[in-house]
Amino acid sequence: MAPPSARTPQSVLFACGLNSVRSPMAESLLQQMFPQALYVRSAGARKGELDPFAVAVMAEFGQDISGHKPQTFEELEDWEGLNFDLIITLAPEAHHKALELTRTLAADVEYWPTVDPTTTEGSREQKLAAYREVCDGLLLRIRRRFAKVGAASG
């Protein structure tokens, strides 16, 4: 039996504070990479509103997240259950929530500390640059973490 970190998941949940920037970005990036191989969703510790800067930056990557509806862990659980092999948390609040949930769920949890770009001050271009940096960082980590999935499904 492979150690949990080496297992290739079939279902992945990305989680952050509000499910409005980081987790929808990560969900979209991973879903586009492996549209058939993985089941991917995202949720937040609390409910937020989809961030227009996140939508704009993802559009630059050729991905449309404008239809994303932010949801909490509880809403996701009520809607479809929390049957995920892997929960990747991107913010401390989401990490604590995931650890709490996995007391009763058989899911691995990985913490990928990710800067919240909504706190960036400055011009529109400076804010967009912060969101691009978050997106680039997520893309890099996703490629590294899920390289085996590509090999297995390719």
Side-chain angles (χ1 to χ4, degrees), residues 1 6 14 25 28 36 41 46 50 64 74 79 93 97 102 120-121 123 132 145 154:
M1 184 86 163
F14 285 102
M25 284 177 156
S28 181
Q36 307 303 319
R41 289 289 177 267
R46 293 173 287 121
L50 185 60
D64 181 7
E74 291 78 13
W79 184 250
E93 185 180 8
K97 185 82 170 171
T102 55
T120 302
E121 300 286 326
S123 68
R132 286 182 195 113
R145 173 62 176 88

Side-chain angles (χ1 to χ4, degrees), residues 56-140:
V57 166
M58 292 307 292
E60 292 174 3
F61 279 79
Q63 297 184 34
D64 181 7
I65 64 166
S66 63
H68 176 77
K69 303 275 186 265
Q71 61 186 343
T72 63
F73 281 97
E74 291 78 13
E75 289 169 327
L76 181 64
E77 184 172 26
D78 290 346
W79 184 250
E80 61 180 80
L82 289 173
N83 301 313
F84 295 92
D85 302 323
L86 176 62
I87 301 173
I88 298 175
T89 60
L90 307 172
E93 185 180 8
H95 190 65
H96 294 297
K97 185 82 170 171
L99 291 176
E100 189 180 296
L101 288 169
T102 55
R103 288 183 191 153
T104 57
L105 297 173
D108 294 326
V109 178
E110 292 179 15
Y111 180 42
W112 296 2
T114 306
V115 173
D116 180 358
T118 65
T119 61
T120 302
E121 300 286 326
S123 68
R124 174 177 170 76
E125 194 49 47
Q126 289 168 315
K127 290 179 181 184
L128 283 170
Y131 282 73
R132 286 182 195 113
E133 198 172 304
V134 166
C135 191
D136 290 343
L138 287 169
L139 187 58
L140 200 63

Side-chain angles (χ1 to χ4, degrees), residues 43-56:
R46 293 173 287 121
K47 186 142 183 171
E49 295 293 321
L50 185 60
D51 188 297
F53 284 111
V55 173

Side-chain angles (χ1 to χ4, degrees), residues 15-20 22-23 43-48 90-91 93-94:
C16 65
L18 300 174
N19 191 222
S20 61
R22 295 167 286 184
S23 56
R46 293 173 287 121
K47 186 142 183 171
L90 307 172
E93 185 180 8

